[in-house]
Amino acid sequence: MSTVDDKVVVVFRAAGSAPILQQTKVKVSRDSKFSKLVIFLRKQLKTDSVFVYLREAFTPCLDDDVSVLTKAYGIDGKLHVNYSLTPAWG
């Protein structure tokens, strides 16, 4: 059975000329891989190419666990993900 603690809130923030998502916050399982967030962004933006960053500085590995990234780089238990259609940082 899933509980609230099994989920992480992910906040998406557009950078550069990237369009703002209609749904800027989503909840995902703590055991999800970062690649799941990238796939979600690609579908929402209807593009095959999206650049994603944490802390406006670096791109994590696609196989990193969302729970580990949130613990290390989250703000108030939420994972803030910046995205762009062209390289923005790093």
Side-chain angles (χ1 to χ4, degrees):
M1 179 180 256
S2 180
T3 65
V4 174
D5 292 332
D6 291 338
K7 302 281 184 175
V8 172
V9 174
V10 179
V11 181
F12 293 108
R13 295 181 178 173
S17 62
I20 297 172
L21 299 176
Q22 287 184 346
Q23 182 180 357
T24 59
K25 294 180 183 179
V26 296
K27 289 183 181 179
V28 297
S29 286
R30 288 192 172 278
D31 60 355
S32 295
K33 300 293 183 189
F34 190 71
S35 60
K36 183 175 183 174
L37 301 179
V38 175
I39 292 167
F40 172 80
L41 280 172
R42 286 178 180 161
K43 286 180 182 178
Q44 293 298 307
L45 297 170
K46 296 180 175 95
T47 184
D48 291 331
S49 178
V50 65
F51 297 85
V52 291
Y53 304 91
L54 297 183
R55 298 272 173 139
E56 298 178 351
F58 73 97
T59 301
C61 294
L62 294 176
D63 62 346
D64 284 344
D65 289 328
V66 169
S67 62
V68 173
L69 294 172
T70 303
K71 190 178 211 180
Y73 305 106
I75 300 169
D76 295 328
K78 298 176 184 173
L79 186 62
H80 293 258
V81 177
N82 297 87
Y83 64 92
S84 179
L85 300 179
T86 59
W89 296 284

